[in-house]
Every structure is written in structure tokens, then in C-alpha cells.
Amino acid sequence: MRSAVLGALGALLLAPVAAADPAGRSTTDETIRAASGSGYVALERAGGEKRQLRRPPGVRVDADRDEARRSLAFFGQLTDPQIADEMSPARVDFLDGAGGEIKSSWRPQEAVGLQVFDQVVRNVNANRTSEVRDGRGKRAKLGFVVSTGDLADNQQLNETRWFKAVLDGGRVDPFSGKPISAANPCATDANTVAALNAAVAARQYTGVADYDDYPGLPADRYRAFWDPDAAPPGGPYAAFPRYPGFLERAQQPFTAAGLDVPWYNARGNHDGLVQGNAPASVDLFRSIATGCLKVFPSLGLDPAQFAGADEAEAFRRIGDPAFITTLLAGARPVPPDPDRRILSTVEYKREIGNGHGYGRVDAAERRASDGNATYYAFRPRAGVELISLDTVAEGGGSTGNLDHPQYRWLEAKLKAAKRAKRLVIAYGHHTLATLSNTRTDEDAGSCAPTPKPGCDADPRRSTPIHRGTKGNATLRALFLKYPNVIAYVAGHTHDNRIDLVRRGKSGFWQINTASHADTPQQSRLIEVMDNRDGTLSLFTTVLDHAAPIAAPAPGTAAAGFTESQLASVSRVLAWNDPQAERGARGRTLDRNTELLLRDPR
């Protein structure tokens, strides 16, 4: 912990705002690319990208289709901001240096995730009018936005409230940690209590990105993290810039714009599992989240011991109470916070509220699941139905699946929509390929005798489990059975990817969009057009967030940064992150497109 760096000098040293920034623009107008050079590189403006026409084999392209077409639905997709309480004791960020399947348990830009998410929302609002004209020359207005999950990072109450505040608009306070008191205790000495309470009063960052919080360790313990105040002793972040006071500036409250249209939510694995992987059914693990001991890199814990461990092995060891006890023996005191508690599914729904989809859960499913069902459907206009799926594998693991009760409900919905000749767009967190989890919900453990977050609270049997592309009764096969399914919109993989999924003349488009947490921090607009010639067109348009392309100059004190400048720094940090997937932008065929289909009606 250290005091925030103050002073007006920072405001005078900020880099000038670029003349052509993303606010109010889409990537058909301009794009962002890495500047030339090696090492840590800046980002710069590049030209816009033309829309790519894609069609299934055998579907005729009518050159005059733009003269008759009508808009049926125009909506946005947000996905994977993974809003992190980066100071939470419940995180496993101390293992990030192990790489492999444990990578991205920490990100250099994670402290400003809320500011980035607000800039994402602002550019969606600024692009509410469609770029595509119908046959009468009119352009549709954005009707709603769907979120395809991983809005929170660690299933915590405060993270959930934060992302909802960004989406709804209003005051957002990114800081976590509360003063120690009888109601918020910490078993430590009086001097430590005084120091921790002073840190809360000063809104100081506490975590792995501040080397001062765990001094005196071998150099390799620091190389895996970026401290904006101090140069690392070599390693992948050695070329990263300094922004003194950046972490403390990130903790300041701000006012979020909020979406100008309704939004509907689908859960992701990070919304329903600890760090997106483990059920929160271990009592000790839940108590760690709200307590005052946080595990930092240490002499006794070398992340290299986890190198090469797959996800299942790593989280089996992390979830073992004996191993947790060993970790806590070398932990350091931090300000505790009861708002870091892990949410159950019912509590999560209550926090989101009925207005963002969960009020549309079928009454029969709600009763049968003891209030745990989170899947629902709605019709934004006659002839079009949106179906929201919950693909979280309650038994654990970052990949997903559908339990049998949800699968049966989905099939009934698809059957009814086909009879009524409604077009169906389904959305959920996991792509078909990542719906590969074979764990049952019962693997999370029973809720008896006392319900608790992380247990299997749905009294119905989850089996047989349904996956995306493998096993019996897959989601792919179910969608293909009903030709009125025209799209499945997903996230999870953090990259832009569009695939035609077909069998014979039947098919649909799977539309996957990059995350807001990692490079390139983009969102997507989707519009369905009836070409009135026996075909449909789905227009997809990718948006960068609204923050300036040019980040403040390296070395600038961060005390004077605006929220948009914090988000600008985040964008370039995310691009330069050594763990970043540079191919996440996808091909041009995965971004701005016109996707043709036969009209199944």
C-alpha cells in the first residue's frame, strides 16, 4: 500500500487527444492498430473496414435485396468485462506467473475494468442508429442489448453491484475494503488495525500490482506483475511504462453513463463460480473472501510448481482446505469487506433484478427449480424471439453445459416458435465448442442441511448433461433440428469469431464477440433484416470503446487522469500484455459482416 500520488502536474503532461477517436464511430469508420516498433508499442488510428458478405452454399445473392429489406431486430452484445475486485483475498492472482491454463488470473489493466466498461457502454449509446438503411431509406434505432456473461470476475456481491451500476448508470465506487470494527473484525494487533483503517481512509490499492505490499522477495516473484509506480527486476513487464499513482486513481468514484436501451443478462462461468472455475461450496474459501488475510507471492509459494498443471488439477489443489490453510499461514493482512461475499444463484438474480430478463423466467421453471432457473425468453417484436441460456456448469470448470431440465425447456420453446413461425436468436455465455463440460450440477455438493453459495440448490436432477457438439442430444443438433433458429450469440473465448453451423440446407450463424477485459476490448451490434426475397441478412458491426486511442504519455502522474484516459491506458496495456491473444480481433470475416440465410418461414 502507498499513498496516492497527488499534484496538478499530471494534468499538464497528458498526451493530446487524437482528432479521430472511437467515440461515436464504429470500426467501419476507423480501426485501431499497433504502431510500428518492438517491445511496448503504442496504438494508433487505422482505416475503417468494409462489411464482408458471407452466405451458405447454395443461397442466392440478390443484388437488389437492399431495395426491399426491412429491419426485424437491432440490438447490441456486451460480453466478458470480468469486473474484478482486484484487491479481494478470494482471488488466485498470486499464481498468474505459472502461465498455462492459470494465466489471466491477473491482468495489468484489471484495476480500471469499470472505467473501460463505462466507455464500452458510451460508444454503444453513441451508435444507437443503424448503419444499414432499409428499402425505404430508413435506419433502425437500437432496441436493446444482451449481455453474454462474465460480467463479474469472482462471483462476488460487490463486483455484481459494480457492473450493474455501469449498465444502469449513476455513481460507481470501485474501491473495496471497509474499516475494521466490531461488525467487520480482523484478528490482528492494534497497530495493524490502525494501518489498515488508514489505508481504507486513503483509498489505497492493496494487491499484487504493488511491490511494496510484499517486499523482500526474490526477483522472480515480482517479474510476473506490473507495478505502475516501480520498474520490475526484468521479465515480461520490464518495458511497460510507469504511471505513478495509477492504482490509487483507479479507486476513485465516477459517474457511469448507463445504457440508453434495455439490457438483458445471461450468466457466465465467472458470474457463477469462484474465479470462473470452482464451486464456492467450501466453507473456508467463502470465509476467505470477506476476511482480512490475502495471499501474496511469497518465499514459500513458487508459482512454478503449478506450471503445466491443467485447470482441473490447479483448482483441485487450490480448493483443498489443507492447501488453503498452508497458503493463509503466509498471507498478509488487508482491509476486510463483507461486500466481497460470494453470491448464490438466487442472490445473484435478486441483485440483477427482474427488469433484465430474470422476471421473464417461466413460472413453472421457477417453482420447479426453487427459484434457481435463470433461463428465459422474450419477444422484442412480433415474429422474433430471443432465448437466453444459462451455460454455467455448476459442478465446476470454466467450460459449460446445459442440464436436462433447461434442455427440455429449450426444446419446448423452439418447438412452439417453429409452429408460430417465429425467428429465434439464442444467446448464452459459452460457444458450442466450449460447451464441453461433463460435470453434473450434483458435483457441486448438496445444500443440506443449510443452503449456501456454490452448492447444488436446484432440487431437480441435472442429468443427462447436454454439451455443445459432443455426446448425446447436443445443443448443436437441437438448434439444427429447428430451422427457425438463425443465430446463436456467445462469448467466453475472448475473440471475434463467426461460424456457419449447418447440416444440409438447415443452418444458423454462431456469432462470438471479443471481451472487454482483454484486447481488443470491443463490443458488437447485430441487426436482422428481412430481404423479402426468401432470404435474411444479419448485419454485424464491431465497436471499439469510446476512450481516446492516444494514451497519456508514459511517466505522467495519474492523479489528473479522466476516466476515459484510464480506459485509454487500459487498451494499450491489454494489447501489450504478454499473455494477450493477439489474434482475438479475428479475421475481417469475423467482424463487420452481412450474414445471409434462407428465410425459414
Side-chain angles (χ1 to χ4, degrees):
M1 294 165 286
R2 61 165 67 89
S3 297
V5 177
L6 302 175
L9 179 61
L12 301 176
L13 296 176
L14 302 182
V17 175
D21 278 324
R25 300 169 184 264
S26 81
T27 56
T28 63
D29 302 311
E30 68 173 24
T31 55
I32 300 172
R33 69 184 179 194
S36 59
S38 58
Y40 187 92
V41 297
L43 300 178
E44 63 184 16
R45 180 188 182 277
E49 291 183 339
K50 293 183 179 179
R51 205 174 296 281
Q52 304 291 313
L53 176 64
R54 297 182 62 178
R55 61 187 177 91
V59 173
R60 179 177 59 87
V61 178
D62 188 341
D64 297 328
R65 63 190 181 281
D66 60 337
E67 296 180 2
R69 62 191 178 202
R70 297 287 188 271
S71 181
L72 300 179
F74 179 38
F75 63 98
Q77 181 200 5
L78 305 178
T79 195
D80 296 84
Q82 290 187 218
I83 298 302
D85 174 2
E86 76 278 20
M87 298 189 283
S88 172
R91 306 191 72 215
V92 295
D93 44 14
F94 54 90
L95 290 180
D96 189 73
E101 292 191 14
I102 309 176
K103 74 174 186 176
S104 296
S105 57
W106 174 84
R107 296 174 172 86
Q109 68 275 12
E110 68 184 14
V112 291
L114 284 161
Q115 292 87 347
V116 169
F117 197 29
D118 178 51
Q119 295 298 312
V120 170
V121 167
R122 288 173 187 269
N123 215 22
V124 170
N125 288 342
N127 284 271
R128 293 194 308 277
T129 301
S130 172
E131 295 184 346
V132 184
R133 297 184 183 275
D134 68 11
R136 299 164 294 185
K138 297 182 178 180
R139 296 190 295 168
K141 298 296 183 182
L142 193 70
F144 57 94
V145 165
V146 299
S147 156
T148 48
D150 277 9
L151 276 79
D153 186 64
N154 200 35
Q155 201 184 349
Q156 293 181 193
L157 171 64
N158 57 354
E159 293 174 343
T160 302
R161 287 178 172 173
W162 287 339
F163 79 65
K164 186 173 184 293
V166 170
L167 291 171
D168 287 343
R171 186 179 188 270
V172 181
D173 186 350
F175 184 72
S176 75
K178 299 285 195 304
I180 296 170
S181 65
N184 188 38
C186 179
T188 187
D189 61 272
N191 288 338
T192 301
V193 168
L196 294 179
N197 285 348
V200 172
R203 305 178 72 86
Q204 292 175 5
Y205 169 89
T206 305
V208 296
D210 187 348
Y211 302 154
D212 289 345
D213 283 348
Y214 49 110
L217 300 180
D220 64 348
R221 300 300 196 267
Y222 302 104
R223 289 174 183 151
F225 305 101
W226 174 66
D227 183 336
D229 295 315
Y237 296 100
F240 272 48
R242 308 277 77 74
Y243 287 110
F246 183 83
L247 295 171
E248 281 72 32
R249 172 64 186 86
Q251 310 309 316
Q252 300 305 311
F254 67 95
T255 301
L259 281 166
D260 290 340
V261 296
W263 59 274
Y264 299 92
N265 193 53
R267 284 200 315 163
N269 52 295
H270 280 265
D271 299 305
L273 297 165
V274 175
Q275 285 272 252
N277 291 273
S281 49
V282 177
D283 293 340
L284 180 57
F285 204 76
R286 290 198 312 280
S287 68
I288 287 172
T290 57
C292 62
L293 288 178
K294 179 175 173 63
V295 178
F296 285 85
S298 66
L299 285 172
L301 177 66
D302 186 354
Q305 68 182 276
F306 284 84
D310 64 18
E311 172 194 88
E313 169 63 13
F315 280 90
R316 183 192 65 77
R317 292 168 64 185
I318 293 168
D320 177 46
F323 184 70
I324 293 174
T325 302
T326 300
L327 290 178
L328 291 178
R332 297 171 184 265
V334 297
D337 193 335
D339 287 344
R340 290 175 175 147
R341 68 182 178 85
I342 306 299
L343 291 178
S344 70
T345 303
V346 171
E347 290 172 325
Y348 179 84
K349 289 171 61 179
R350 187 181 304 129
E351 288 295 325
I352 299 299
N354 287 336
H356 304 297
Y358 297 134
R360 299 172 183 264
V361 172
D362 287 358
E365 299 297 311
R366 187 171 60 250
R367 287 193 298 270
S369 67
D370 277 357
N372 285 275
T374 52
Y375 42 87
Y376 59 90
F378 68 97
R379 300 172 198 164
R381 62 176 296 174
V384 178
E385 186 161 18
L386 275 287
I387 296 180
S388 176
L389 302 178
D390 187 332
T391 61
V392 178
E394 303 283 358
S398 64
T399 56
N401 59 36
L402 263 66
D403 63 18
H404 193 55
Q406 182 176 184
Y407 181 88
R408 287 186 303 161
W409 170 87
L410 173 60
E411 183 163 30
K413 286 291 182 184
L414 296 178
K415 189 177 297 184
K418 182 182 178 183
R419 286 197 302 266
K421 296 186 177 181
R422 288 192 295 270
L423 300 175
V424 171
I425 300 165
Y427 63 98
H429 180 63
H430 294 86
T431 61
L432 294 176
T434 57
L435 283 166
S436 56
N437 199 314
T438 59
R439 294 184 181 91
T440 70
D441 293 352
E442 288 78 11
D443 287 339
S446 170
C447 285
T450 303
K452 56 189 176 183
C455 66
D456 178 23
D458 189 329
R460 302 170 298 178
R461 288 191 60 82
S462 67
T463 53
I465 289 295
H466 300 271
R467 290 176 283 166
T469 61
K470 296 180 180 179
N472 297 323
T474 66
L475 187 60
R476 179 184 186 275
L478 182 62
F479 283 160
L480 288 172
K481 182 179 176 182
Y482 294 91
N484 53 315
V485 176
I486 60 172
Y488 176 55
V489 180
H492 186 65
T493 63
H494 291 210
D495 57 4
N496 291 317
R497 179 71 184 262
I498 298 176
D499 294 296
L500 175 65
V501 183
R502 70 185 184 98
R503 182 175 58 205
K505 294 183 177 180
S506 180
F508 61 93
W509 292 99
Q510 178 173 260
I511 302 171
N512 187 24
T513 300
S515 79
H516 314 318
D518 291 316
T519 191
Q521 300 184 340
Q522 293 176 324
S523 59
R524 195 187 295 267
L525 304 178
I526 302 169
E527 184 168 13
V528 182
M529 289 275 198
D530 179 357
N531 294 322
R532 305 175 77 183
D533 63 356
T535 67
L536 303 172
S537 288
L538 283 72
F539 292 90
T540 71
T541 306
V542 169
L543 304 179
D544 288 305
H545 63 69
I549 297 170
T556 305
F561 284 7
T562 64
E563 277 71 38
S564 64
Q565 287 167 327
L566 292 174
S568 294
V569 173
S570 173
R571 185 193 279 124
V572 69
L573 290 175
W575 169 259
N576 285 279
D577 184 359
Q579 294 184 343
E581 299 291 344
R582 295 297 174 81
R585 291 182 67 240
R587 308 163 297 171
T588 55
L589 292 173
D590 298 315
R591 296 193 290 265
N592 302 325
T593 66
E594 180 185 357
L595 310 173
L596 226 62
L597 280 177
R598 286 189 176 90
D599 188 338
R601 299 169 299 178

